[in-house]
Amino acid sequence: MEVLEGLKTRVYRFGNKTADGNSKMKNLLGGKGANLAEMSAIGIPVPPGFTITTEVCTEYNELGREAVIEFIKEEVEQSIANIESQMGTTFGDKENPLLISVRSGARVSMPGMMDTVLNLGMNDEVVLGLVKRTNNEQFAWDSYRRFIQMYGGVVLGMKPESKDDIDPFEEIMEHLKHKRGIELDTDFTIQDLQDLVYDFKDAVKKRTGQDFPTNPWDQLWGAIMAVFNSWNGDRAVYYRNMNGYPADWGTAVNVQAMVYGNMGTNSGTGVCFTRDAGTGENVFNGEYLINAQGEDVVAGVRTPQQITKLGSQRWAELAKIEEADRLENYPSLEELMPSIFNELNEYQDILEKHYRDMQDMEFTIQDGKLWILQTRNGKRTGAATVKIAMDLLKEGMINEKEALLLIEPNKLDELLHPIFDTNALKRSNIIAQGLPASPGAATGKIVFFADEAHKYKHSILVRIETSPEDLEGMNIAKGILTARGGMTSHAAVVARGMGKCCISGAGALNINYKKRTLTVGDHEFHDGDWISLNGSTGNIIEGKVATMEPELSGEFAELMELAVKYGKIKVRTNADTPKDAKVARGFGAQGIGLTRTEHMFFEVDRIKAMREMILANTIKGRKHALEDLLPMQRADFEGIFEAMQGQSVTIRLLDPPLHEFVPHQLATQKELAEDMHISLQAVKNKVAELEEFNPMLGHRGCRLGNTYPEITEMQTRAIIEAALNLKERGIICKPEIMIPLVGTVREFEVQDEIVRRTANTIFEERNDKIEYLVGTMIEVPRAALIADLIAEKADFFSFGTNDLTQMTYGYSRDDAGKFLPIYIKKGILKVDPFEVIDQEGVGQLIKLGTQRGRATKPNLKVGICGEHGGEPSSIEFCYNTGMDYVSCSPYRVPIARLVSAQAAIKTTM
Ligand code: ADP
Ligand code: MG
Ligand code: MG
């Protein structure tokens, strides 16, 4: 074991047109490291460096710092020497120093969620060496102060102490700027920068009690461990949980020679996209800053400039800047540095063709030389996701199957949500305009702090700028509005990734955190006031604006056609009303997998009849109340059958415990007593009688139908009569009647007999008949185990995975909220099994149930109707299990159809 451990490669080098790794090694090298290697190998100019693998991060988490240093010390030292020889500089040298960056990078991109340190290797002597080498004192000291700032924040924990505090280093800088009467970081003099370096070090000493480390190797190991630690930092953990990324992936560490964008006016740094990440439009775009480094563009401190002339002109129009002013003060890179722009344009083209997907790149210009620092498949909105995939298909860059696989199914979700009503928009009052950073419609109440986003049901987070600490609040808010920052600012990038509406860089806004006010001209808005954001135009609108259903045409319709072409497992919907059924059919649902009948009883006029039924003490009394319910329920079914126009509809007989229908508050109990002409005490007695210790395991499901057969009779009558009525109108439907919560064969048989007897009676009465099926839900583990016996009687199975999960784990669905979140946080469970099918345990029951059922009845129709039916990995599992269909809520239907196609394509690869 020891020997093997020693032999494992833990460090992979790249640079100078070669590399040990490649883009396929994302799990080991992280996305950033794998792509740095790939770029280097295909001849893109990448500063040389090396990647410490994600496995080492896991080793660090298990064995700690010293063990890891022992594992990799030699490889790291040799790899630094390799960078030194390529760059012709020496790490820690007083004459000609090498500075490096230490960058995080997990297998998936987690922008800003983990840490990076730039300009590492600096100290009081090295800075003088850098001055000597570059003849640029300003630059050398700027790099030094940046280093202390970043290292202090990332490695030494120099962070703001509370939410009203600003960053301790920013505070020192603001203080100096104020004293000197300057505004920008670039206005600092050499003397200022030197003062800052000493003040920063002083602040570190005061707060941590330690001197700032001067030895470059100590700095390096400190930064490597800090990057590993950042994998378990709050931000990263939250982001991982939000996206379901497991803790054991770990992050890689990329160590790389620094290139300097802050060397003067012939240097700069920027971010660019090969296509528009918001709309998907095929235009190269991005932002840059002259004389800047690293995160300056993203941090939104200075207003970044556009890369292309077209982009610059579009930006100026939104910002209401005259052409002459634009050209003079905000020229594009295309205009300012045409040859660098041409080179960058060439690389973006090469990289998009190479990766066959939209790329998001980082670059730095050091004294007139262009370096590429990162490329990745760019995050994009749902609309852009669809457009880019369909465009790449039309351009011949990818084929149909690849286009389908390129789309992350959950991204479609955004496209299915409401947009602003065009008529309401015409009447609205636009108070200001910002950059359309992430499209969509958002309306809500203003909050000024991320940790207050949960205060209102619909909140809009309004910030001067956002930072990675704000992630959780950004996720909760309906929309994000910032006064500063461009299209690649933190707010913009994160919002697009979340599919959340965002307007950034709205310069007209005046935000006061202390007073909690947002002022625009003479308008003042307060915490709790309503505003609306149109993320597609950048318009900020006063008050609440009405929304409407989106129209799904164009590329989306094309995508759905493709999905149908390749999809194998059918997609049905869960719908309880004709309205839901119609929506789902519009999205292409191929039938209804679950109609819950209890919801039909909750409406005002019906709940009364339902309560009378429950309170009746005799069969006669119950039948009488059920007769009142019959016509209402029959009309519901007619509406649903009509909406589905002859497609299969599965109807589940009454499922929930009766106590859910009786009033628990004194006032309503009194009302009911009066209505029914019985005593309040009688009502109270009944309520008490219905109370259960474990309602989830109590008197519900077919246990109701088996104790009150008249309920099953009434429901069967409503279903069969509705189908016969439709037949008279020329619509043939074949209802599938589903018995819930069956655990023994006899439980099913008794219900089956009632249904069939009732149906036959109606056929005789009407002298007409229809075809129908009687099947069962498999949701009690025992039912899965005896599926072969149940299948002798049942016409179909539908896996009720909510209950099946509840009963297999023994987690009450009603109480799991108390411990599941903690289980997930602690890693005891990787994901919530009520959201994602637990393939290991619950999945076995599903497989077994399907196999045993089909052993008895080879053509047994099998589907799923739990919440899982709309979740991508669960749908794939259902397909691989051989189910005929999945069923999900109407708005998930397009997503499920896409997954259906993807699952089928994957099995042929
Ligand atoms: P993130 O994953 O949060 O984007 P990065 O590791 O990419 O963090 O680095 C943060 C910023 O620093 C980026 O703008 C990146 O381009 C810049 N940067 C990283 N390494 C270097 C380097 N060696 N030289 C110059 N800039 C660098
Ligand atoms: Mg980056
Ligand atoms: Mg159930």
Side-chain angles (χ1 to χ4, degrees), residues 498-512:
M498 288 175 172
K500 186 140 303 193
C501 168
C502 172
I503 297 177
S504 66
L509 309 186
N510 217 317
I511 296 166
N512 187 322

Side-chain angles (χ1 to χ4, degrees), residues 402-428:
E402 287 166 327
L404 284 163
L405 290 176
L406 196 59
I407 296 175
E408 205 228 304
N410 283 329
K411 274 277 156 197
L412 298 185
D413 198 34
E414 294 163 35
L415 297 177
L416 307 171
H417 288 305
I419 53 175
F420 282 132
D421 185 311
T422 27
N423 286 322
L425 265 187
K426 280 184 204 141
R427 279 175 271 123
S428 66

